[in-house]
Amino acid sequence: MTNSEILKNAETFFEERDYVETLRTLMHGFVADNQYIPFYQLAAKSLRGLNGYEEAEMFENALKSFSDWQCFYDLGYHYVEMGYWDLAIAFLNRANTLNPKDVVVAYEYSLALGARFRIGDALHVLRLTPFAEEFWASYRAFHLSVLLGEHIAEAKVFLRNIREQIYLKTETTDDEAFALQKLDNLQDMIRRYEAVEKPAPHIRDWHFVQYGAAVLDFFEETDEEMQVAGGRWVAAWASEESLRIMLEKLKAFCQMAALSFDKVLYIDDRDAEIVGKIIAKIFQCPAEALSADNILTVNTLVVADAADKFNDWKQLAIKLKGQSTFAVWQSWLEDAQFCPDIVGVLAQTYNLPWEGGALRLVDAENQTYERTEPNLQNADTIVKNIARIDVDLSEDSFFEQNIAFYQKHLPLLACKSKANRLYFTSESPMGGSFFH
């Protein structure tokens, strides 16, 4: 679609006073061409129609000073903060084009590119600047390098030099202490990368390299299907049987890793309660809702249905003896306060079996389907029904391979490490198809 066609569609929505749809249409325009002035003019007018005066002013400033990198940096930074990565890339690209040697611009541009799995491009824009003069730019450059399997020796020199500079000081500031923590994280990532030797183009290997975390289930393993998202799901609807199988895999993983728990703690909502109580039955231990009173209990498995449910429990990022975290699923497109030690699947969306909405085959001959209805039974009834499903993992060769992978790298797994849990980002060398 040409610029004029995009603009015409956007103007139609604007005339109907549908400013949200106008801006959504213009987003595609900015991604296609960040120098087409009419897009900026209409965006500013639409934002004023939504009373977004400060945002409108940023577009108007860009129009007034179309060769000023700062105006486009301000726009790009704004959309980085909002997590609108495609828009951030469009505007930071122009800021970077106008001022390619600026480390701050390149840093933010690299964040946006990384969020869209463009790791090589993110590293390239940083390396065109004097990034070595800035600690955080250097740290990011070497972080990206590890994801690409490049400049590993150079990264180790960086780690050693910065540590020496800090250790020579008589006192360590809070910023320096935080920097040392991040250096430890980078060094651990390098250790995991080198332990794997040649990470496969599969999210199992890279999720481990980045976070030390384990994944129990993957999208189908054929080469063609692997290209969809490197072993991750785009959308998944769990059945009672598939969830029961996943939780049996959790049990097998914990047995392999010699993890034992006195209690299961679950996030205090219905979905997590059901999952947590099923796990407790499988592990034959008690379960109770997570609270401020029991969160510091050792030898516990803390359970959420979705990893982002842990965002309200930031203190879990700090490791306790014998305490592990598990989420049934984690969005691979959304940041999270920390990466759980173990996750069932990585997906963009995931429906639990009692939520309803899954497609069920009604007539095989005519290929007729219907949507399942939500299961409104009480939690304990659902728990009992799912927990008693018989499962057999003996013929699951893919799971055997995955267990063998994690067993080989057992000392470096997050569930065995004393290091704190790492912040999770969508950034990964494994791209994939996803909904915008």
Side-chain angles (χ1 to χ4, degrees):
M1 190 176 292
T2 65
N3 287 347
S4 58
E5 289 171 331
I6 294 172
L7 182 64
K8 184 177 179 180
N9 289 341
E11 287 174 334
T12 300
F13 289 118
F14 183 81
E15 290 167 4
E16 296 170 354
R17 296 188 179 182
D18 189 343
Y19 304 125
V20 171
E21 199 59 41
T22 303
L23 291 167
R24 186 176 288 115
T25 304
L26 287 174
M27 181 188 74
H28 299 294
F30 288 121
V31 170
D33 187 350
N34 59 17
Q35 298 185 62
Y36 191 60
I37 288 177
F39 290 154
Y40 291 83
Q41 295 169 329
L42 187 56
K45 290 193 288 185
S46 299
L47 286 163
R48 288 194 175 277
L50 292 169
N51 298 323
Y53 301 115
E54 291 184 11
E55 199 169 345
E57 190 173 339
M58 286 193 285
F59 282 92
E60 290 162 353
N61 289 339
L63 283 167
K64 293 173 186 175
S65 306
F66 212 67
S67 295
D68 183 354
W69 67 268
Q70 183 70 52
C71 296
F72 293 95
Y73 173 79
D74 292 343
L75 273 169
Y77 185 81
H78 172 69
Y79 289 113
V80 164
E81 287 193 315
M82 294 182 68
Y84 292 172
W85 300 114
D86 295 324
L87 278 176
I89 288 171
F91 299 127
L92 289 170
N93 168 268
R94 178 147 180 81
N96 181 252
T97 299
L98 294 169
N99 192 6
K101 296 296 183 182
D102 190 281
V103 176
V104 175
V105 172
Y107 182 89
E108 295 298 331
Y109 188 24
S110 79
L111 290 177
L113 290 167
R116 282 294 182 252
F117 313 108
R118 294 170 59 182
I119 305 300
D121 292 338
L123 179 59
H124 177 70
V125 298
L126 275 172
R127 284 195 161 262
L128 290 178
T129 72
F131 71 95
E133 298 175 4
E134 299 286 342
F135 170 77
W136 288 113
S138 298
Y139 177 86
R140 174 144 183 81
F142 290 120
H143 173 87
L144 293 167
S145 294
V146 177
L147 297 183
L148 293 168
E150 300 175 358
H151 313 292
I152 304 298
E154 191 179 339
K156 290 179 179 179
V157 172
F158 164 74
L159 288 169
R160 184 171 62 250
N161 288 345
I162 299 297
R163 281 196 177 110
E164 287 177 354
Q165 291 176 34
I166 295 176
Y167 290 150
L168 286 172
K169 297 185 176 182
T170 55
E171 293 185 6
T172 303
T173 66
D174 290 342
D175 287 344
E176 289 167 341
F178 181 62
L180 287 171
Q181 179 185 330
K182 297 299 287 184
L183 293 175
D184 288 343
N185 294 343
L186 180 57
Q187 182 168 305
D188 288 343
M189 191 167 81
I190 292 173
R191 287 195 185 109
R192 292 190 293 266
Y193 175 84
E194 292 182 330
V196 178
E197 295 178 352
K198 291 184 179 180
H202 190 286
I203 198 58
R204 180 197 66 190
D205 291 27
W206 285 107
H207 195 68
F208 169 74
V209 169
Q210 287 181 261
Y211 306 104
V215 184
L216 300 176
D217 257 327
F218 302 98
F219 194 60
E220 296 298 333
E221 304 277 347
T222 66
D223 290 341
E224 183 178 338
E225 289 163 332
M226 281 294 300
Q227 294 174 11
V228 173
R232 297 167 291 200
W233 268 271
V234 176
W237 286 264
S239 65
E240 290 187 350
E241 183 180 20
S242 68
L243 178 63
R244 179 64 183 84
I245 290 171
M246 176 195 292
L247 300 182
E248 189 68 20
K249 290 180 178 181
L250 173 65
K251 178 182 178 181
F253 176 90
C254 290
Q255 289 174 337
M256 177 278 297
L259 300 176
S260 61
F261 307 105
D262 298 330
K263 186 179 294 185
V264 171
L265 302 176
Y266 53 83
I267 299 291
D268 194 9
D269 68 22
R270 182 173 183 263
D271 292 338
E273 177 186 358
I274 294 171
V275 174
K277 286 183 174 179
I278 296 171
I279 293 172
K281 281 186 175 293
I282 295 170
F283 283 52
Q284 297 183 340
C285 65
E288 65 183 56
L290 180 68
S291 68
D293 294 328
N294 64 21
I295 192 171
L296 298 180
T297 308
V298 299
N299 298 325
T300 52
L301 179 64
V302 188
V303 173
D305 53 303
D308 63 2
K309 299 281 186 71
F310 285 130
N311 288 350
D312 294 330
W313 299 91
K314 297 179 184 179
Q315 55 269 60
L316 287 170
I318 308 298
K319 287 279 187 71
L320 282 181
K321 180 182 178 182
Q323 188 180 75
S324 295
T325 52
F326 168 74
V328 172
W329 74 284
Q330 179 162 21
S331 170
W332 51 277
L333 294 181
E334 303 293 335
D335 289 7
Q337 285 299 322
F338 64 85
C339 182
D341 303 321
I342 313 163
V343 67
V345 299
L346 296 167
Q348 188 176 341
T349 62
Y350 185 91
N351 270 51
L352 292 158
W354 50 86
E355 291 182 295
L359 286 175
R360 178 171 57 198
L361 182 64
V362 178
D363 185 342
E365 184 177 347
N366 297 310
Q367 291 293 295
T368 304
Y369 295 84
E370 66 179 11
R371 293 285 182 182
T372 59
E373 295 295 325
N375 184 344
L376 302 179
Q377 293 177 296
N378 67 65
D380 288 334
T381 300
I382 297 173
V383 169
K384 182 179 178 181
N385 291 337
I386 296 178
R388 69 186 178 189
I389 295 173
D390 290 328
V391 297
D392 182 5
L393 302 180
S394 62
E395 295 184 3
D396 191 334
S397 60
F398 294 132
F399 181 63
E400 287 182 9
Q401 293 172 20
N402 295 330
I403 281 286
F405 173 87
Y406 293 125
Q407 187 168 26
K408 179 180 178 181
H409 304 298
L410 187 58
L412 298 176
L413 283 171
C415 61
K416 304 296 285 187
S417 169
K418 294 180 180 179
N420 292 333
R421 297 180 178 96
L422 300 176
Y423 188 86
F424 179 85
T425 73
S426 60
E427 189 167 83
S428 170
M430 296 302 305
S433 301
F434 55 89
F435 299 120
H436 284 275

